[in-house]
Structure formats: structure tokens, C-alpha cells
Amino acid sequence: MDKLKQFYLKKRIAILSITMFCITEVVLGQVNCFALFEKDSPEYCACMLIYGGKAEGKARYQGAKESQALCDSAISLFPAFADPYYTKAIPFLKRGEFDLWKTIIDKAVKYDTLAYLGYRAGAHFMFLRNYEEAINDIETLQLITGWDDLGTIYNGEYNLEIIRALSYRGLCDTLRAIEILENHIQKTNDAGLWGYYHLGVMYFQQKRYDDAKQALMKQLLNNEIADAYYYLSLIYETEKNIEFESAISKAYELYQSGKRIRGNNSFMDYPDKIYFLQIKEAMRKTKL
């Protein structure tokens, strides 16, 4: 890993994951302002407003009027500092005020493209299902950096290359999506939490049932989830295989125990997620 990539990954990993999902507080102490900027410069003062412990009372709570005012103060001090735009934008994304979010986050991307282009791509996909914009951001970041591995979206649940594959699938280019996902897993030997599952679903959609079964079985070995058993049951049903009953029963059992696609963000709807009603409907067919 080159030094530039290492710097950005170390700088952002705590900021993006914590500020995105905590309703709680403006992140403090995650960035060494003194190391980044000359002391008492406008840049340094803006950085300290966000990360140096200046937030007190209600200003510590993300989305509060006082917190937004703190971001505005940092922006006034140093308009080219990307982080306060990012912090200011997050509440609008969570509230569904996407136009406002986009206007603000675009400025963060403008002033710190490496740090925030991948974040914006993930948000475009996970919140908006804006497949074109997600693909454009990821492929632009690939062109800018030349990196083989762009890392994950803000919460660590999906590699950006998997998001790119799912975005192509969202645009009905499933063959391209399969190619991207297969290449990613082959190169990295890392399917992440649900990569094999999504690949299995794509194979299923292409009626490549043997490939789908192999991918879904790998998913179960890697991370056992009800969703994978549900799709196995669909394949077995198509094949008129009696294993359909055991697969759907296992899906029911795992779903009840919480072993299913359920991320750490209640604001988002996860791709290929199976709902309990679907499992119960399948079970009715077998009168289980």
C-alpha cells in the first residue's frame, strides 16, 4: 500500500464509520489537526472546531442546530476544508432530504476527492439506488487513484467493487455484474459478508442453477444466513428436489434467530434481502 493511500485510509476509517452512524456526537480526536495544518492558521482553527473538543452541549449531537452552526463556523474559517461539509450533510441523508445532502456532500468531494468520492458512491447506492451515480463515482475514483482495491463503503459492510457490481445489476446488466464480482473475489479472495450470496442470486437470475448452488454453499460456509437457504430452496423447488423442505426450514430457523442480511444501519434497505413473509409463503407450499 503506498503512503498516500495509507494516509487516507488511516485518516478516514474512524471518522466515516462513527459520524455516519452515531446519532450521537461530533467526532473528537480522530484527526491530528496539528500534524495536518500549521498551528493557528485558518485551516488549523477550522479543524479544531470539528475535531479538537470545541463542541459542547447540544453542539455535540449530529444534526442539532448547534452542531450545524459549528460546521458553518468551520466552513467560514476555511471554506476548502472538506470535513465540515461531510458532517453537515449526514443528517440530511438520514432524514431523506437528498437534494440538500447532495448539494453539501458535493463540496466535500470537491475539496477532498480521495476521502469522500467512495463515501458518496456508497450512499448513492445504499440510500438512493442511484446506480449510475454510484458507478460513476467508483470508476472515477479508480481512474484517479489506479488502486486495485478502493476499500469499503462508510460502514465497512461492502467493498466498493461489490457495490459497483450490484449497481450494474441494478441497471439490468447482470452479466457485467457477475464478471465484476467474480473478478473481485478471484483477485482478493475476499467475498466480504455477503459477496457469495449476491453472486449466487445473480446466477439464479440467469438460471445458472449449478453455479448458484456453489456460490450459495460458499456463502453458508463463510457466513450462514437465512437468505442463502431461501434461494437454495428456490433452486431445489425448480429441480423438484426434496431438499427444498430442509432448505426452507433452515431459512425459517436462521431468520428467527437473527442470522440474515441485516446491517448496522436501520436507514438503509439492503440488496437481495429476504423478508420473513417470503419464507412463510414458501413454507405454506410444503405445508411445513
Side-chain angles (χ1 to χ4, degrees):
M1 182 184 294
D2 61 51
K3 291 183 179 180
L4 181 62
K5 183 176 183 181
Q6 195 172 45
F7 168 79
Y8 275 99
L9 289 178
K10 286 182 177 179
K11 177 182 175 186
R12 300 300 170 187
I13 188 167
I15 302 170
L16 298 186
S17 60
I18 296 175
T19 58
M20 184 69 199
F21 298 105
C22 296
I23 49 180
T24 55
E25 307 181 11
V26 175
V27 175
L28 307 177
Q30 301 297 338
V31 172
N32 186 338
C33 300
F34 183 76
L36 291 174
F37 306 113
E38 183 179 348
K39 189 175 182 181
D40 296 328
S41 67
E43 300 95 320
Y44 175 84
C45 294
C47 184
M48 289 298 291
L49 274 176
I50 301 298
Y51 302 117
K54 299 296 183 181
E56 297 178 356
K58 292 181 180 179
R60 293 179 65 87
Y61 291 88
Q62 186 187 90
K65 180 174 68 176
E66 293 83 356
S67 173
Q68 297 295 78
L70 194 70
C71 291
D72 289 337
S73 296
I75 290 168
S76 296
L77 282 169
F78 183 25
F81 185 32
D83 292 22
Y85 294 106
Y86 166 77
T87 303
K88 183 180 175 67
I90 292 171
F92 296 111
L93 182 65
K94 291 180 176 180
R95 294 170 188 158
E97 298 179 65
F98 299 125
D99 288 341
L100 278 172
W101 167 78
K102 180 68 162 54
T103 298
I104 300 168
I105 201 62
D106 284 354
K107 293 180 181 178
V109 172
K110 174 183 177 181
Y111 294 122
D112 200 339
T113 304
L114 288 178
Y116 291 113
L117 195 57
Y119 155 75
R120 190 175 68 182
H124 273 308
F125 178 87
M126 296 301 293
F127 283 84
L128 300 168
R129 294 295 192 266
N130 191 336
Y131 304 122
E132 294 93 340
E133 290 294 337
I135 291 168
N136 183 63
D137 280 351
I138 294 168
E139 294 184 350
T140 298
L141 190 58
Q142 288 173 330
L143 286 172
I144 291 172
T145 63
W147 298 339
D148 292 329
D149 184 1
L150 296 176
T152 66
I153 63 172
Y154 38 78
N155 63 359
E157 291 177 334
Y158 281 106
N159 189 284
L160 282 168
E161 193 69 347
I162 296 179
I163 292 295
R164 187 164 78 101
L166 291 169
S167 294
Y168 274 107
R169 197 267 304 270
L171 295 176
C172 299
D173 193 349
T174 304
L175 294 179
R176 177 76 172 123
I178 288 172
E179 179 186 12
I180 292 168
L181 193 44
E182 286 177 337
N183 288 341
H184 170 72
I185 293 173
Q186 184 178 7
K187 284 181 179 179
T188 64
N189 197 30
D190 181 10
L193 289 172
W194 308 303
Y196 283 121
Y197 170 64
H198 293 304
L199 184 59
V201 172
M202 291 180 196
Y203 286 144
F204 177 83
Q205 291 167 341
Q206 293 294 305
K207 299 183 178 181
R208 294 169 57 179
Y209 298 129
D210 288 341
D211 290 333
K213 279 191 288 187
Q214 289 182 27
L216 292 169
M217 294 303 295
K218 287 179 181 178
Q219 175 63 50
L220 293 173
L221 289 172
N222 187 50
N223 178 23
E224 191 178 41
I225 53 173
D227 313 64
Y229 275 109
Y230 174 79
Y231 268 95
L232 276 175
S233 77
L234 295 183
I235 296 170
Y236 293 143
E237 183 183 24
T238 300
E239 297 174 338
K240 301 188 184 308
N241 188 324
I242 59 172
E243 291 187 52
F244 164 77
E245 293 185 5
S246 61
I248 199 62
S249 295
K250 190 65 176 178
Y252 184 92
E253 175 190 330
L254 289 176
Y255 198 99
Q256 290 281 66
S257 64
K259 292 183 178 180
R260 58 187 190 268
I261 288 188
R262 46 186 255 169
N264 59 19
N265 187 351
S266 61
F267 297 95
M268 302 185 307
D269 188 28
Y270 285 75
D272 296 326
K273 181 175 69 174
I274 296 303
Y275 294 89
F276 197 38
L277 180 62
Q278 293 172 272
I279 295 174
K280 290 194 290 186
E281 285 292 330
M283 294 187 76
R284 286 195 189 98
K285 294 180 181 179
T286 60
K287 299 180 181 179
L288 292 175

